[in-house]
Amino acid sequence: MAEKVKRASLSKGRAGWCVIFRHPVCKATNGQSLRIRRGLGTRDEGAAAALVEQVNTLLADESWWSPARRTEAERQFDERVVRAFYDDMEPLERDTWAEREAALPLPGGKEAEDGYARMLMVGTTGSGKTTLVRQLLGTDPKLERFPSTSAAKTTVSDLEVILSDGPFKAVVTFFSRDLVRQYISDCISAAVVSAAEGGPERDVRRRLLEHADQRFRLSYVLGTFADPATAEDLEDDAEDDDELFEPGEEALNDDERRELRERLEIYFQQVKQLAGEYRTRMSAAAARLGIDLSNAPRPERDKLEEAIEDEIVRDEQFQSLIDHILDDCESRFDRLDDGELAKGRDGWPTSWRYESPKRGDFISTVNRFSSNYAPHFGRLLTPFVEGIRVAGPFAPTWSEGERPRLVILDGQGLGHTADAVSSVSTRVTKRYQICDAIMLVDNAAQPMQAATYSAIESLVASGHESKLILCFTHFDEVKGDNLVGFAARQNHVLGSFENVIANIAKTHGRFADKSLRSAIPDRTVFLANIQKPLGAGAKATRRELQRMLEAVAATILPPEPVVYQPVYDVANLVLAIQKAAAEFHDRWRGVLNLGSRSGVVSEHWTRIKALSRRLGIFKQDEYDSLKPVADLIRILQNHLSQFLAQPLGWDPAMPPDDDETHAAAIDLIRKEAFTRLHDLSRRRILDECISGWAEAYEYRGEGSTKRRARSIIELYSTAAPVPNEMPGPDANEFLNEMRSLAFEAVAAGGGRIKGWSREDVAADV
């Protein structure tokens, strides 16, 4: 039953009056009518009330509820009213990479002749890749602290750095208001549930200030309930620790911290009030259904919690708390005195640009968007940042000769997972093609864990293993009575890499084995104590870093031309596609708890619900470790890789017995297929299924978990059906698309499929 259209009302905002109303057409992330709250740009209550009445005129007449009438509405109503009512009916698609590229283009790339090498940093969370970036930039770990580091999950946005001449420049892009609002809603909801279940107060406060995925932390923006450590405290406690100070602004004073705590305490009290309402509704619902909450099994409690949580989230008190926290967050942008801040049509910041000739000023200003420095909690904007691109005369202090011509692309860590078949995020894999070198950073003390294995296999399957440079950090922690000397410790670490090579070769063939082994002599480096400035005594690490730069520079040399053409049989291709689709479905049936699958852990209903929201509402292709688009890319590419590794023959003849010649020819085709698979997988899993994902998210009430899981499986059955002997229309369409993709990739990579032409592909499609 459709919600009754209610009248708009006034609300006090941080910069004047706001209008609040439920949109009669647009849907919110909970499946209900979208709640709109827009600033009216006036502090005059009478003027604001008049604008609200204009909104009520639009709400009362269904003939206005179409984006086609926006132009006519602009002639009759105030511009602010028209924007508030019509903007969400015509959602904007943003490409934040393109925004940064337009403001500050990256040098290098396929066609460039400027001598720049593009290097992608890949590694598990906490492996030290951001610390390595500091060494490459020459930033002081004590006096500059850029980029920020900590024990884990520090890098929560994309970071792109250009080592260049000229002044220091930066462009920062931000998450949308809607996504930030959803993060805040998640935090409040988690805190309310914790308080309602009698969780300790410290847990409730933590959940309010830190999102479950640990990548969105309100404490950075709003401060903390307790006083953070001051620089003096840190100095007293740390002795020789280099992670002490941050340049620029002074730490917050006592009055500022007190004001932040008082505001947080107000939010906390509101959370407790909502928790009381939550408990009341839970008890009433349990009584109606005859459920004893003290002894109720987990599935029954889950059903109740989902139903009541949705009710609480729709409550106006809950929404009002989100409004106040979001206003509080937005006010932090008001402190930006430098640079140029751009805003979207809803008034939320979209990007920020800045330029300075002074290194100290530049770093202290940009740290506002990347820092995790506790004494500055309450001023930072880090949680809102989607990507940062900087350029300037950075250079490693230990480098011999001129400044490296280098572009560094860093981002979120791969994450620690016990799942040996986990997929690498598309945020990482879609960068493979535009990079010359891929720096895989791993912890030498615990080398080659599951996520690192997945990254290496991803490179092999996609044909990018020739770009691999292996960097083992924490080499100083590799110790043992049997490990005497550098060579012994080095061989100990490389033994783990040898095991990975052997396992990957079983799937991807002997060419993969040879290609990965070729990386060992010149493209494997071992680094120790890089968290500190490297003095003259750090000879081994300085030597290894210099070798690393030479290996990166060598990646931009043009490859030898490939003159041999692999030839393939289409029958083997169809079999590969069939196996891949079956494996994808088998994995996700396990994830969705629709059957036990070896090596696959079923996910809690709350995470599946969050995944459906992330895809169906925010059009993002993953949620935390749940990556359906990346999974489809990985599985299809692995099976295509195996198909491509075994050509039926070669033209003009079998190449010499030279594994490098074989591998180079096949890798060209693998790269072409991998690039195309990103577009196909996102389109089929996400773009063409948006409404289905949104519908899956909207399931509520008893049995909604199973209905949601089955709905997702049905989406997959349409997006990536398993071809069989008598395939239906969906399977035929998928099979033909995959055959077309394979043909185009083989042709673009210099090979061919036997007895198959472009005309055959066109006829199939």
Side-chain angles (χ1 to χ4, degrees):
M1 182 175 174
E3 289 182 275
K4 182 180 178 181
V5 177
K6 298 180 180 179
R7 289 176 59 81
S9 61
L10 274 179
S11 168
K12 200 67 176 286
R14 69 184 187 87
W17 290 99
C18 299
V19 61
I20 295 178
F21 63 96
R22 292 281 179 179
H23 203 283
V25 175
C26 301
K27 294 289 186 181
T29 59
N30 60 5
Q32 306 300 316
S33 295
L34 180 65
R35 180 180 182 274
I36 305 291
R37 181 175 184 263
R38 280 293 189 96
L40 294 172
T42 179
R43 296 182 183 275
D44 184 323
E45 185 174 2
L51 294 173
V52 168
E53 283 309 307
Q54 291 188 31
V55 174
N56 282 324
T57 300
L58 291 171
L59 289 171
D61 186 349
E62 290 188 33
S63 67
W64 290 110
W65 300 356
S66 167
R69 297 205 63 187
R70 178 168 186 152
T71 301
E72 186 178 350
E74 288 171 345
R75 293 194 291 267
Q76 296 190 36
F77 301 98
D78 188 278
E79 178 188 11
R80 292 164 289 183
V81 170
V82 173
R83 287 202 305 266
F85 192 82
Y86 287 98
D87 279 355
D88 287 284
M89 298 174 72
E90 302 171 293
L92 291 177
E93 294 289 338
R94 287 183 65 203
D95 184 340
T96 51
W97 171 276
E99 291 175 20
R100 297 195 296 275
E101 188 68 11
L104 189 56
L106 292 181
K110 282 185 177 180
E111 307 301 325
E113 297 181 358
D114 51 20
Y116 269 89
R118 295 181 177 181
M119 181 175 70
L120 176 65
M121 307 293 293
V122 180
T124 54
T125 296
S127 63
K129 63 187 179 68
T130 306
T131 302
L132 177 57
V133 172
R134 280 188 179 182
Q135 286 288 351
L136 293 170
L137 301 188
T139 52
D140 190 283
K142 179 176 180 180
L143 301 177
E144 294 178 312
R145 291 179 49 82
F146 177 78
S148 293
T149 63
S150 75
K153 289 190 178 179
T154 306
T155 306
V156 295
S157 63
D158 290 333
L159 172 65
E160 300 134 16
V161 185
I162 306 166
L163 278 60
S164 65
D165 299 325
F168 293 93
K169 300 179 181 179
V171 56
V172 179
T173 51
F174 303 109
F175 292 119
S176 69
R177 179 195 292 272
D178 288 343
L179 186 56
V180 171
R181 185 181 182 89
Q182 186 58 56
Y183 274 129
I184 294 172
S185 176
D186 291 344
C187 290
I188 297 173
S189 181
V192 167
V193 171
S194 179
E197 293 180 344
E201 192 169 283
R202 66 178 180 277
D203 182 64
V204 178
R205 294 175 187 267
R206 178 184 60 80
R207 289 173 182 266
L208 177 62
L209 293 181
E210 184 177 294
H211 195 271
D213 67 6
Q214 297 184 339
R215 300 189 188 280
F216 182 84
R217 296 177 171 95
L218 279 170
S219 56
Y220 288 17
V221 186
L222 304 181
T224 59
F225 286 96
D227 284 344
T230 64
E232 291 76 14
D233 294 331
L234 290 169
E235 186 175 21
D236 291 339
D237 294 341
E239 297 180 359
D240 62 343
D241 192 347
D242 282 336
E243 305 291 324
L244 299 182
F245 307 108
E246 184 143 304
E249 291 183 279
E250 293 293 327
L252 277 71
N253 60 41
D254 291 342
D255 289 340
E256 289 174 316
R257 286 198 295 270
R258 187 182 306 108
E259 183 180 341
L260 289 173
R261 286 198 304 272
E262 289 172 355
R263 191 175 295 119
L264 284 176
E265 196 59 42
I266 292 172
Y267 299 152
F268 179 66
Q269 294 304 320
Q270 290 179 273
V271 165
K272 291 205 294 187
Q273 291 176 18
L274 287 165
E277 179 66 20
Y278 182 98
R279 283 193 298 269
T280 299
R281 296 191 188 191
M282 275 284 281
S283 299
R288 284 197 308 270
L289 298 173
I291 297 174
D292 180 2
L293 284 177
S294 61
N295 297 311
R298 189 71 249 180
E300 290 193 357
R301 288 190 67 91
D302 285 346
K303 294 174 188 176
L304 281 174
E305 286 175 4
E306 182 177 15
I308 303 305
E309 189 176 341
D310 284 334
E311 286 185 23
I312 291 292
V313 168
R314 289 198 300 270
D315 189 277
E316 187 57 35
Q317 184 182 355
F318 187 98
Q319 293 296 325
S320 179
L321 179 54
I322 297 176
D323 291 340
H324 289 139
I325 293 178
L326 188 61
D327 282 349
D328 204 353
C329 290
E330 190 174 2
S331 70
R332 300 305 188 268
F333 287 97
D334 296 340
R335 295 179 61 94
L336 286 175
D337 299 323
D338 299 311
E340 178 184 339
L341 186 67
K343 296 185 178 182
R345 63 190 185 186
D346 61 354
W348 182 259
T350 55
S351 65
W352 175 82
R353 298 174 65 175
Y354 177 63
E355 180 175 325
S356 174
K358 298 180 179 180
R359 177 178 172 126
D361 291 348
F362 179 82
I363 290 178
S364 64
T365 303
V366 171
N367 270 341
R368 200 68 193 275
F369 301 93
S370 64
S371 176
N372 60 354
Y373 188 55
H376 286 169
F377 282 7
R379 291 180 181 162
L380 301 177
L381 296 167
T382 307
F384 310 138
V385 174
E386 184 275 338
I388 304 175
R389 182 173 297 185
V390 300
F394 297 104
T397 57
W398 40 261
S399 178
E400 302 170 4
E402 298 180 354
R403 178 189 306 115
R405 301 180 74 79
L406 187 62
V407 173
I408 303 169
L409 307 180
D410 190 17
Q412 298 178 9
L414 296 176
H416 293 293
T417 174
D419 187 350
V421 292
S422 60
S423 298
V424 181
S425 170
T426 56
R427 290 179 69 92
V428 175
T429 58
K430 66 184 178 183
R431 306 285 189 242
Y432 287 177
Q433 192 70 19
I434 66 169
C435 290
D436 303 295
I438 298 173
M439 182 71 64
L440 180 56
V441 183
D442 198 22
N443 185 342
Q446 298 175 318
M448 297 291 137
Q449 300 297 310
T452 304
Y453 179 98
S454 296
I456 295 174
E457 185 174 40
S458 169
L459 291 173
V460 170
S462 64
H464 291 281
E465 75 273 15
S466 62
K467 299 178 180 181
L468 173 65
I469 299 174
L470 263 175
C471 176
F472 289 103
T473 58
H474 303 282
F475 193 58
D476 49 300
E477 298 175 17
V478 179
K479 299 175 182 179
D481 294 340
N482 61 326
L483 302 177
V484 180
F486 184 90
R489 292 187 292 141
Q490 187 182 57
N491 290 335
H492 174 76
V493 175
L494 287 176
S496 298
F497 184 38
E498 294 275 0
N499 289 335
V500 168
I501 293 174
N503 286 327
I504 289 177
K506 292 176 184 177
T507 302
H508 298 278
R510 65 186 181 91
F511 298 148
D513 181 291
K514 296 289 186 180
S515 185
L516 288 175
R517 289 184 190 279
S518 69
I520 292 177
D522 300 321
R523 291 185 282 123
T524 305
V525 297
F526 300 85
L527 307 178
N529 293 309
I530 59 172
Q531 73 276 13
K532 302 178 180 181
L534 300 176
K539 294 180 180 179
T541 294
R542 290 167 68 103
R543 182 181 65 246
E544 291 291 284
L545 285 167
Q546 198 64 46
R547 281 204 313 113
M548 183 187 74
L549 286 181
E550 292 168 1
V552 172
T555 60
I556 66 172
L557 298 175
E560 293 292 327
V562 175
V563 296
Y564 295 96
Q565 183 182 54
V567 181
Y568 298 96
D569 187 341
V570 68
N572 294 334
L573 171 63
V574 173
L575 185 60
I577 296 169
Q578 186 179 46
K579 288 181 177 179
E583 182 181 333
F584 175 77
H585 283 274
D586 190 58
R587 170 174 172 76
W588 272 91
R589 290 187 71 83
V591 170
L592 295 168
N593 201 23
L594 294 177
S596 176
R597 298 296 182 272
S598 176
V600 179
V601 179
S602 61
E603 294 286 348
H604 193 267
W605 66 269
T606 55
R607 285 172 53 78
I608 299 300
K609 181 180 176 182
L611 172 71
S612 62
R613 178 181 63 207
R614 192 61 62 93
L615 274 75
I617 307 300
F618 294 109
K619 300 182 181 180
Q620 296 184 343
D621 63 17
E622 61 187 45
Y623 171 73
D624 197 28
S625 62
L626 300 176
K627 305 179 177 75
V629 174
D631 281 349
L632 185 59
I633 293 170
R634 173 181 60 82
I635 294 170
L636 285 171
Q637 184 69 27
N638 279 348
H639 285 273
L640 281 177
S641 174
Q642 295 170 48
F643 162 73
L644 294 170
Q646 301 176 28
L648 186 67
W650 294 83
D651 277 343
M654 177 69 73
D657 188 16
D658 180 353
D659 288 332
E660 288 189 10
T661 302
H662 288 75
I666 292 170
D667 279 351
L668 284 176
I669 301 172
R670 282 173 167 159
K671 290 175 185 175
E672 294 289 343
F674 192 61
T675 300
R676 288 167 169 77
L677 276 175
H678 277 74
D679 293 335
L680 178 141
S681 298
R682 180 182 172 89
R683 173 173 53 80
R684 294 191 68 91
I685 293 289
L686 177 56
D687 297 341
E688 294 178 357
C689 296
I690 283 288
S691 59
W693 283 106
E695 182 179 337
Y697 172 68
E698 290 172 11
Y699 285 129
R700 297 293 185 273
E702 186 174 356
S704 61
T705 297
K706 285 293 184 184
R707 293 202 307 274
R708 184 177 296 113
R710 293 191 184 103
S711 180
I712 292 173
I713 285 295
E714 289 175 7
L715 290 177
Y716 291 161
S717 296
T718 301
V722 181
N724 52 36
E725 293 180 359
M726 298 293 290
D730 289 338
N732 267 329
E733 179 187 354
F734 176 63
L735 182 60
N736 287 334
E737 277 203 41
M738 285 299 303
R739 291 167 66 187
S740 177
L741 180 149
F743 173 82
E744 295 292 344
V746 169
R752 67 181 176 86
I753 296 179
K754 185 178 180 181
W756 211 22
S757 66
R758 292 181 183 275
E759 290 73 22
D760 294 324
V761 175
D764 284 341
V765 175

